[in-house]
Structures are given as C-alpha cells and as structure tokens.
Amino acid sequence: MSKLENKIKVMPKAVVCEDSTIKGDVTICSGSVIHPSAQIIAESGPIIIGENCIIEEYAKIIHRIPPDHKLAQEKNHVLVIGANNLFEVGSTVEALKIGEKNIFECKSYVSSNVTISSGCVIGAGCHVVGEQHLPENTVIFGKNCQQREALDKVSGSHMLQLDFLRKVLPNYHHLRKPCDIKKAANLS
Amino acid sequence: MEYLLSKNVEYVCECGLLKPLTNLYFCRHCLNLRCFFCCHHEVDSHFCRNCLENIPSGEAKLRKNKCNTCFDCPSCTLSALSARATTIQVPMTKEVKEGGEGSEIEASSGKMVSKKMYYLACLACRFSSRDVGISDQPSQNFFWPEQEYMHAIRFNTILNHYYSVVLHDKQLKQEERRRRSTKQSKFPNMTDRTGLNVSAIRRQMGFDKSAAKPKSKPTAIAPSIAEDVDDLPEEIFTQPINLKNITTIQQRFTQPANQPESVKHLYPQHKNLSIKRSIRCRHCEHNVIKPEYNPTSIKYRIQQFASSHVPEVRIIKCDQLVPNKSALITLKITNPTMNDMIITIMDLPTEEEEKMMIEEMRKNFEKNLSVSNKSSLMRPSLIEDSRIVSCKITAKLELPDSSFVINQRDDSAEFDDDVQSDKKDPKFILWRKANKIAIQLSITPNGELKVNDDVKIGFSMNFTYSSVPSSTPEKKETQRYALCARIYINAGKIVQ
C-alpha cells in the first residue's frame, strides 16, 4: 500500500484537536468538533466531514473499501459524512455513505457494507454488519440489535453540547490551524 | 464473577442438593446448611425499584403490584422511562379566561410565554411517549393517561360474578354447618329446650338481621358466544411485511391485557413492584435471611450466609488427569470464622449410611415437631424428605492421615509480616497464611473414564464450629460443636 499523503483541510470555526489522528485526504467543514485521540483514516479515498459533527475520543472513522466490495473498482470514491452527526466514545464506523443527524453510540460498530441515511441511531455496543441500507429514523438497540423506527424525530440536536465544546476544548488542547480558504483558492 | 461463583466445588445441602457455598445459608440454631429450595420464603415488603417507594402489601394488591409513578419502556422492555422536559411557546391564555374581549386582542397580538412540558423517553432505545401519540403533560408527576383495555368491562363483570359465586357458596356452607351442628350436638342443652337460646332472644328483640338479609345470589353474566372469524385477508400472503412495525413476542408479553400487534400500540407500562424477601429455616423456623425494611438499604438485619460460617474449599490447581494414574490436586481451605478450626477430611458416607442419616433426620424432626407444636402457634411446616446425592464419584481420593488446624480470621493479619509457625505441619500441607491453608492430595481417576469426562471427587469435612454467644441467658457462653460438610469437587476433564 502506498504511503498515505496527508492533505488535511480544516475549515474556519472547526475545532480539531492536534492529538487526533488524521490520515489521508480529509476535509473538515466548519463547526465540527474533533476530540483528541479520535481517528479519521482516509485510505481508499478522501473523506469529507459535514458541518457541526462531533467526533469523540477513540471514535474511528475509516474509509477503507475491502477488495471484494462492489465499490472496489470505482476510483476516487469520496466518503461524504453529512452534517450534525455524533460519533460517541469508542465507536467505529466504516460505512461508505453516511447521511445527516445520525448518532453512533459508544462502542458501536458499522461495517463497510452498510449505508446509512439520516436520523439513525446505532445503539451502544451494537454491531451492524452485513449488506444493508438503514432507512431514515432507524434505531438499533439492545444486545440482539433489535431495530425500530422512531416515528418522532430523534431527540433534538446537540447544539448546546457543540457550543460548550467549542468553548472548553481550546482551553486545554492545541488545535490544528484552519486553512485559509482564499489562499487555497488562489493556489488552485 | 466466574471466580466467585465457580461451580467446581459444591457442598451438599441438608436436603441433598448440591450447591456452591455462595448459594447456601447456615442455620445457627439447627447448625445445618440450608439452600434456597429447603427454606420458607416470605414477602417482607413491596417497593418500586425505580423510585424506591415503600408500598404496603395491601396497597400493592390494590395497585396490582405496579408502581403508580414509574413506567417501563414497552419497546425494549428492560429499562425504565424517564421524564424529559421541553419548552414550548404558548400564547398567553391566562388573561383570556380572566378578562373580556380586550385581553383577547392582547393574546392574538402574539405575546408568547415559554412553558415546560414533559414527555417520557427511554434512554436505551429512544422510545418516547410521543411515538404512540400521548400528548405532553404539564407536570412531571402528572398522571399519565391510562391505557384502556378492550375487554376491561367484560373482565370486571366476570370477576364480580365469581366473587358473588364464592360468597354464595360460603353462605350455603355456613347454613349447612349450622343445621348440622344443632343435630349433632352431643350434650342436651337446657336453653334449647326452653327456647331461650341466643338467636331466639335476638329474634324476639328484633335484633336479628341475618333472617332479614336475603341470600345473595350470583350475579348473572352473559356467556360469551363464539363469533365467526373472518378468513385471513389476501394481502397477508402477498404483501411483504415490515418487521419494524410488528411487535416482538417479548413486547407482547409485557402487555398481557392488550398484546398489541403493531408498535403503534406500545403504551408505557407501569413498573412492576419488587419485594424484599426473608428466608426462614423450615426445621426451627428461625430466620436465616432478613433484610432491612427500608427499600434504599441493601443491608440485612439477619444474614446467615454459609460462606461466613463454613470453611470454604477452592481448587488452586490440578495436574493432568489420566485414568488409573494418580495426580496431585491442590486445594485451598479458608476459615471464615473468628475461632480456630480443627478440620478432618474423611470419606463420604456410603449409600446405606446416607439412607440411615436421612431416616434419622426425619425421626428427629418429627420428634421436634410434636414437642414444638404445643407451644408454637405457627403451622407446622411441610418437610420434604432429603434425597440421596445424585453426583457419582469417579475418582479415588487419598485422604490425609491427620487432622489439621486453621487459624481464625484476623482482619489485621494481612498487615503483619509472614510469621512461620513453629509447629511442624504434616507433609500434605503446602503452606498456611493467616486463615488460609493449602493442602495437596493425590487422586486417581477411575479406569472406565473416557476423554473429556468429568473427574469428580468427594469427601466429608469435619470441622469444629464455635457458636456465637447469643443474648439468651442459657447460651451466653460459646459452645463448640463438631460439624460435618460433604463436598463434591469437579477436578477437571480427562486428557489423553
């Protein structure tokens, strides 16, 4: 495997701690918060993380297409993660398509065969494997990974927490400097 | 947990069942091991384990053993629902009620007031009371709308009917008894002849109400008639089903009255109450376990766990087991009491001896019963005969040639330096530390065992037990007893 070239773009107003592990071509949109020791690994192609996402400690987001996957032949596949997603402590997400307002609870695992729409909740410790598409507002919970559909919009946004983190994290951690958009535009 | 609750070493309870020591109780008065199955279980108090409210048993019965304020999640059936608050903007309505037209204009002018509203949510599966269409409530302790059951009325009429049937039967029986008792009276009664018995006098004075009271008759119920059931609709065979909308068996069982088929009808369920239970020895009727009444307390008022009275045996290690070949097994024995113990390891009783023991126990008990019956008001307990231990020994154990002493438990001993005792220990003792001792015994698995068969050894352990001085005057001093525990050990599997 060729060595990954790090091309990290951090948009203004995003809070990305320096102790996080970010490899490959990763774009982090404004308003997102990435905790220390979170991992974002873009092996098979770029990752774009949408606005106002929270990626907590020990969470792993991996863009790695297994060789027997149907997308394996496709070149330059981009993993686009929508806005307002919450990746809780210790969650591992390998899904190749993620919509908006999803919650990946602690220690959950989503394999690369799964595509996730919007408003889904993967419960704590739930492993979602096997080829499937999670329709909107799916809630997976319990040790048997029971599924249900939330009729109501899953509990409100995490804006309050985001505001708090944006205030507190810079006090105790070194941050990655956001890139200058104008400069980047000029260069290209 | 595996270490604490290992089932490799099991003790024989007085009733003949094999149990790990942690599951056994010790009756201080009979000086015997007791297990879950050979004790009385009594409900001490009812409480809700979510809000920890103590509920008297009468009230608990009225509430159908359910908590009034707490709810279980109907969707994941394992966690309690918690009330969550939201703020909503409502137009000022207070003035509208009070004032006339003028204030109505004010309300429509758009003055908004934020108000807190509550709904129930499950933190595990994110079920919320809004999912099933229960509107938000203005107060946290508000009585949430009760679910209505389709058959509630029918159920009540049937219940009332059977209540009245029972009442009717009781009256009939009473009447019968009254009639019979006058006839069967052995002794002539003077007042009867003179017609001056109590009931006659009462009747004369007009006090008698029993005559005036009409006999209660069972209320009639309309028998339910089987209706014609329609055939299954065609779609059920052709349409694909959405499993997310269908309830699981588990979910249906938590709502036995309704058993909803669709998740739209999963209403929050009142939480079932828990009980505090005391356990009583069947032979002497003393408590072995009695919890404190307060639901917030997890302490006991009486706790006679066997693990704090009977020496505990654990396997430290065991050699590879091959049939007909002797192997060494190392056991650790711990003395949990505050007195030194002399331990002798002996053979298990043979089957005849075991039968004799059981017979003797029964005789003893019957004798005790006839004595105690005169004084005690309690109903004599039903005692099941002890059974013969079902476990079969599959290896020969070489018994140690002498008995040995285990020191008392001393909580401060672990801070001391290791002191070598001057006493010469027999050879089979590997080491001793405070109240623990390790012994090494040799076992020979039987010849007919195959690979992966369990190797079971067993022995009787005689130990001296000093009773704790009790408050009663005749038992002020500690008394020493020689007790015996039968122990079965699963040493491991045969390898080859």
Side-chain angles (χ1 to χ4, degrees), chain B residues 48 159 168 187 200 213 249 252 262 285 349 354 403 431 436:
Chain B
C48 170
L159 198 69
H168 183 72
F187 310 106
K213 201 161 71 183
I249 297 280
R252 285 179 207 193
S262 156
E285 316 224 309
E354 218 172 314
S403 47
W431 49 261
K436 300 181 188 80

Side-chain angles (χ1 to χ4, degrees), chain A residues 12 24 40 52 87 95 98 107 120-121 129 143-144 154 157 166 171:
Chain A
I40 303 168
N52 298 333
F87 300 84
I98 298 168
K107 286 271 182 187
C120 297
V121 179
V129 289
K143 61 178 173 193
N144 297 326
V154 167
S157 62
R166 278 184 207 136
N171 294 345

Side-chain angles (χ1 to χ4, degrees), chain B residues 291-354:
Chain B
E292 279 185 8
Y293 278 116
N294 190 357
T296 51
S297 165
I298 55 162
K299 287 181 184 156
Y300 296 96
R301 284 197 287 177
I302 300 170
Q303 47 170 347
Q304 305 290 343
F305 293 113
S307 51
S308 52
H309 294 278
V310 178
E312 186 193 17
V313 177
R314 276 184 184 282
I315 305 176
I316 293 181
K317 67 171 184 207
C318 185
D319 289 351
Q320 286 204 332
L321 296 162
V322 178
N324 283 332
K325 224 172 150 190
S326 78
L328 289 173
I329 185 168
T330 314
L331 302 174
K332 183 172 82 177
I333 306 177
T334 313
N335 174 8
T337 63
M338 293 302 208
N339 297 294
D340 287 1
M341 261 182 188
I342 303 165
I343 287 185
T344 319
I345 288 175
M346 300 192 306
D347 263 330
L348 283 175
T350 57
E351 209 160 296
E352 279 90 61
E353 284 171 327
E354 218 172 314

Side-chain angles (χ1 to χ4, degrees), chain A residues 126-183:
Chain A
C126 288
H127 286 214
V128 186
V129 289
E131 199 171 327
Q132 59 185 306
H133 171 73
L134 296 187
E136 288 197 7
N137 299 336
T138 306
V139 180
I140 296 176
F141 63 94
K143 61 178 173 193
N144 297 326
C145 291
Q146 219 173 319
Q147 282 195 19
R148 61 180 285 271
E149 194 185 345
L151 304 177
D152 185 45
K153 269 274 175 296
V154 167
S155 58
S157 62
H158 47 259
M159 282 323 264
L160 281 175
Q161 199 191 346
L162 259 179
D163 286 341
F164 177 74
L165 289 173
R166 278 184 207 136
K167 232 183 279 168
V168 168
L169 277 181
N171 294 345
Y172 302 99
H173 294 282
H174 297 292
L175 301 184
R176 272 176 211 267
K177 294 223 167 55
C179 65
D180 207 333
I181 299 181
K182 281 176 197 164
K183 218 185 204 173

Side-chain angles (χ1 to χ4, degrees), chain A:
Chain A
M1 199 181 286
S2 63
K3 227 182 171 188
L4 285 172
E5 198 188 336
N6 281 2
K7 251 168 58 184
I8 300 156
K9 269 177 267 166
V10 180
M11 296 294 174
K13 282 188 187 166
V15 177
V16 180
C17 293
E18 212 160 49
D19 298 334
S20 56
T21 314
I22 301 178
K23 281 181 184 159
D25 186 354
V26 178
T27 309
I28 297 156
C29 291
S30 63
S32 286
V33 172
I34 294 173
H35 285 247
S37 64
Q39 285 184 32
I40 303 168
I41 297 165
E43 227 174 68
S44 311
I47 298 180
I48 299 171
I49 295 172
E51 290 175 359
N52 298 333
C53 286
I54 302 179
I55 298 168
E56 293 185 353
E57 290 94 338
Y58 303 109
K60 278 186 203 162
I61 298 173
I62 302 169
H63 184 200
R64 181 190 295 150
I65 306 174
D68 53 347
H69 197 270
K70 63 182 177 194
L71 286 173
Q73 304 307 320
E74 192 182 326
K75 276 186 181 160
N76 297 329
H77 178 266
V78 182
L79 168 59
V80 181
I81 296 172
N84 295 315
N85 286 306
L86 172 59
F87 300 84
E88 287 186 4
V89 178
S91 58
T92 306
V93 180
E94 296 178 358
L96 297 176
K97 198 178 153 199
I98 298 168
E100 295 177 352
K101 291 184 182 168
N102 297 299
I103 300 173
F104 300 88
E105 286 186 6
C106 301
K107 286 271 182 187
S108 60
Y109 172 77
V110 181
S111 84
S112 56
N113 294 323
V114 185
T115 54
I116 294 168
S117 61
S118 296
C120 297
V121 179
I122 317 292
C126 288
H127 286 214
V128 186
V129 289
E131 199 171 327
Q132 59 185 306
H133 171 73
L134 296 187
E136 288 197 7
N137 299 336
T138 306
V139 180
I140 296 176
F141 63 94
K143 61 178 173 193
N144 297 326
C145 291
Q146 219 173 319
Q147 282 195 19
R148 61 180 285 271
E149 194 185 345
L151 304 177
D152 185 45
K153 269 274 175 296
V154 167
S155 58
S157 62
H158 47 259
M159 282 323 264
L160 281 175
Q161 199 191 346
L162 259 179
D163 286 341
F164 177 74
L165 289 173
R166 278 184 207 136
K167 232 183 279 168
V168 168
L169 277 181
N171 294 345
Y172 302 99
H173 294 282
H174 297 292
L175 301 184
R176 272 176 211 267
K177 294 223 167 55
C179 65
D180 207 333
I181 299 181
K182 281 176 197 164
K183 218 185 204 173
N186 284 343
L187 278 177
S188 63

